[in-house]
Amino acid sequence: AQKITQTQPGMFVQEKEAVTLDCTYDTSDPSYGLFWYKQPSSGEMIFLIYQGSYDQQNATEGRYSLNFQKARKSANLVISASQLGDSAMYFCAMREGPGGYQKVTFGTGTKLQVIP
Amino acid sequence: DAGVTQSPTHLIKTRGQQVTLRCSPKSGHDTVSWYQQALGQGPQFIFQYYEEEERQRGNFPDRFSGHQFPNYSSELNVNALLLGDSALYLCASSLSRDGNTEAFFGQGTRLTVV
């Protein structure tokens, strides 16, 4: 079974609109963390947001928010007020295990294109 | 404050050769993880180093080995290169004390095996 599933290979959004990128995960470990990264065409992986499995509130970082639904095992990224510079690949990732003993699994990514 | 730096940025090697990639973590970070990203794919976890020891390993053969130095910098070594090893190799650093809740990536090393 896939640990991280991103079902949207590509998405389009109008500039200034909000967009939701889907991510579901699978783990039996009670301690885990969920990440979203942005990868522009330059290749660098840019950290956007993190949600811990024990965090009570959904994480937010500026225009990014993570819609964490633990029972459904989903961790969707919401980008508000899209900008042209948001066009990139977006990866959802999961860290399993506590402390220094961790393994991170990435999804296959969603290519977001912002239309003027 | 320098972020994660990787060297070299690009590399071309011949099948069967050996390669060493280098990574300097973000200042203050003590954990280094390496990933392989094939074209059009998500990064695949190779291994993670903490306190100069390999703590976790992904599903990669023993041809892939690494090292972490006392200054937390790290090397990734790949022996007996195969054409399929051609990929972008990414290094990420984080702070174990903070539960590695935020990992910073370098620009990557693009390895081409011919």
Side-chain angles (χ1 to χ4, degrees):
Chain A
Q2 293 289 332
K3 291 262 187 181
I4 293 285
T5 302
Q6 294 181 255
T7 57
Q8 306 153 314
M11 290 277 287
F12 288 91
V13 64
Q14 204 76 35
E15 193 178 5
K16 300 179 184 176
E17 296 291 310
V19 63
T20 298
L21 306 184
D22 295 341
C23 173
T24 57
Y25 60 93
D26 183 29
T27 181
S28 57
D29 197 322
S31 176
Y32 58 90
L34 297 156
F35 301 80
W36 276 93
Y37 289 91
K38 172 185 177 180
Q39 188 176 42
S41 55
S42 60
E44 181 184 2
M45 198 73 74
I46 301 168
F47 168 81
L48 296 177
I49 198 166
Y50 170 83
Q51 179 86 42
S53 58
Y54 296 118
D55 293 344
Q56 295 296 315
Q57 294 189 324
N58 287 345
T60 60
E61 291 284 351
R63 293 187 299 113
Y64 305 107
S65 60
L66 199 152
N67 184 2
F68 181 46
Q69 298 188 41
K70 197 169 183 177
R72 295 182 58 189
K73 293 190 175 180
S74 76
N76 299 337
L77 176 70
V78 180
I79 306 175
S80 63
S82 297
Q83 302 172 356
L84 295 178
D86 293 335
S87 294
M89 283 293 291
Y90 288 80
F91 290 96
C92 178
M94 176 173 63
R95 165 188 62 76
E96 294 174 277
Y101 295 85
Q102 298 164 344
K103 185 174 176 178
V104 178
T105 306
F106 279 78
T108 53
T110 295
K111 184 173 183 178
L112 177 66
Q113 295 185 65
V114 181
I115 305 167
Chain B
D1 177 22
V4 181
T5 58
Q6 292 186 243
S7 63
T9 54
H10 293 82
L11 201 53
I12 300 175
K13 287 286 189 178
T14 303
R15 190 172 47 182
Q17 285 188 315
Q18 179 263 345
V19 68
T20 297
L21 310 182
R22 295 176 175 82
C23 173
S24 292
K26 180 179 168 61
S27 178
H29 282 186
D30 57 8
T31 303
V32 173
S33 303
W34 286 92
Y35 297 83
Q36 180 195 66
Q37 186 177 20
L39 199 61
Q41 305 289 322
Q44 298 288 318
F45 177 78
I46 302 175
F47 41 53
Q48 181 182 81
Y49 277 85
Y50 172 68
E51 291 189 340
E52 301 179 52
E53 290 186 1
E54 182 183 295
R55 285 298 183 93
Q56 283 286 340
R57 188 179 183 93
N59 188 26
F60 279 81
D62 292 344
R63 298 187 298 107
F64 289 77
S65 63
H67 189 78
Q68 185 180 35
F69 299 93
N71 67 354
Y72 305 117
S73 66
S74 178
E75 288 181 349
L76 164 66
N77 301 292
V78 187
N79 295 322
L81 284 166
L82 304 174
L83 296 180
D85 295 333
S86 295
L88 179 68
Y89 288 84
L90 295 163
C91 167
S93 76
S94 54
L95 185 58
S96 180
R97 182 186 68 209
D98 291 343
N100 297 314
T101 56
E102 186 172 346
F104 290 85
F105 280 79
Q107 295 271 12
T109 294
R110 188 163 297 281
L111 173 65
T112 302
V113 182
V114 298

